[in-house]
Amino acid sequence: LNGSLITDLQSGEVLRKIPVRKYHVLNAIEVYKVHPETKINSIFFENGALQLAKEEGKLRARLYSYTNTGHVIADEVWLTSLNDLECRIEYDADGNEILITGNSAIDVYLRQDIYKNVIHTPSDMTSPENVTAIRSYLLSLYGDEVDVFRSWPYGVEIQNIKANKGTAIEFLKEYTGATKSVAIGNYENDISMIKAADVGVAVGNCFDECIKAADIVTVPCEEHSVAD
């Protein structure tokens, strides 16, 4: 999850976890009301994801559970209106944030730690400029408290500012005892990783800021950039 959750796939041990604050997820869930072009909002936990999808004015909440072979739908809830999703933050006895949406079936899942929030807009109905507007809106709410970036033209991601791919590759280098790190990327969420790696590589058809950050620029993805 872009560095916020790093797991040893052989042992199952979680090596690093840096959740995003529930406060920062709250306004991202309600972005539908400010930016109606939003289509899907995906909230990622350690072992699954909650996907909120707008369907003909209604909101479908679908929980996916991860398995060794992929993911399965574990639960599904429909809200009759976007206005039914009224979010607020409460606190437990230990002072931990609890995200409340007003729907008990959804709230059960939101009690888990959240590691990434992804907002999707439909590629056939919007433009990268719309996504930039959503990103600017979230940054106006959060400032430099959280990472808000694009990882493809039609989506925005929200994470803990300490949990980017740059800090992840530094962690992995130290954890494995590696003497050199090489990172290959193509979009905004890869810039921190390209900068942090000993050798930062941008693919030839990537986001301009990645090219500026890279030590090496290889051929476009479609021309086998990793092999090149």
Side-chain angles (χ1 to χ4, degrees):
L1 298 179
N2 282 346
S4 60
L5 184 69
I6 300 177
T7 305
D8 184 321
L9 294 181
Q10 292 183 325
S11 68
E13 178 188 4
V14 176
L15 305 178
R16 185 175 93 150
K17 52 170 67 180
I18 305 177
V20 65
R21 282 188 58 191
K22 302 289 179 68
Y23 161 74
H24 292 137
V25 176
L26 180 148
N27 288 300
I29 290 178
E30 294 197 323
V31 77
Y32 291 101
K33 299 174 184 177
V34 181
H35 286 278
E37 65 271 24
T38 301
K39 175 70 173 177
I40 297 172
N41 189 315
S42 298
I43 300 167
F44 291 84
F45 313 114
E46 184 172 327
N47 296 306
L50 179 66
Q51 184 188 83
L52 304 172
K54 189 165 61 175
E55 301 282 350
E56 299 180 355
K58 297 181 180 181
L59 198 65
R60 183 195 70 209
R62 179 176 285 172
L63 180 78
Y64 291 91
S65 292
Y66 299 144
T67 69
N68 292 334
T69 56
H71 59 267
V72 296
I73 300 173
D75 195 9
E76 185 174 273
V77 178
W78 283 88
L79 304 179
T80 56
S81 168
L82 297 180
N83 293 326
D84 292 344
L85 198 65
E86 295 292 342
C87 300
R88 69 183 188 275
I89 295 289
E90 295 184 355
Y91 297 88
D92 64 16
D94 297 320
N96 299 312
E97 293 177 323
I98 301 173
L99 178 54
I100 305 294
T101 68
N103 185 293
S104 58
I106 296 174
D107 292 349
V108 167
Y109 301 116
L110 292 177
R111 286 181 175 272
Q112 303 176 67
D113 283 338
I114 298 170
Y115 294 96
K116 185 170 75 166
N117 193 177
V118 183
I119 296 168
H120 310 245
T121 62
S123 58
D124 60 336
M125 295 171 57
T126 190
S127 69
E129 288 73 24
N130 294 123
V131 179
T132 301
I134 293 174
R135 182 176 185 267
S136 297
Y137 166 70
L138 293 169
L139 285 172
S140 73
L141 298 175
Y142 305 142
D144 59 358
E145 296 177 9
V146 68
D147 253 351
V148 182
F149 50 79
R150 293 180 296 166
S151 55
W152 80 103
Y154 300 100
V156 177
E157 304 197 11
I158 301 162
Q159 283 188 272
N160 189 309
I161 202 161
K162 299 178 182 178
N164 59 45
K165 291 185 180 182
T167 61
I169 200 167
E170 290 170 345
F171 169 84
L172 288 171
K173 183 180 178 183
E174 181 179 357
Y175 179 80
T176 60
T179 57
K180 180 178 285 188
S181 59
V182 181
I184 306 173
N186 73 327
Y187 225 78
E188 276 184 5
N189 61 323
D190 297 319
I191 292 173
S192 63
M193 177 180 68
I194 290 171
K195 287 182 176 179
D198 295 305
V199 181
V201 184
V203 301
N205 59 332
C206 77
F207 188 67
D208 288 345
E209 294 301 315
C210 283
I211 291 178
K212 293 177 184 177
D215 301 304
I216 297 170
V217 179
T218 185
V219 298
C221 289
E222 295 81 2
E223 299 175 25
H224 310 292
S225 53
V226 176
D228 180 71

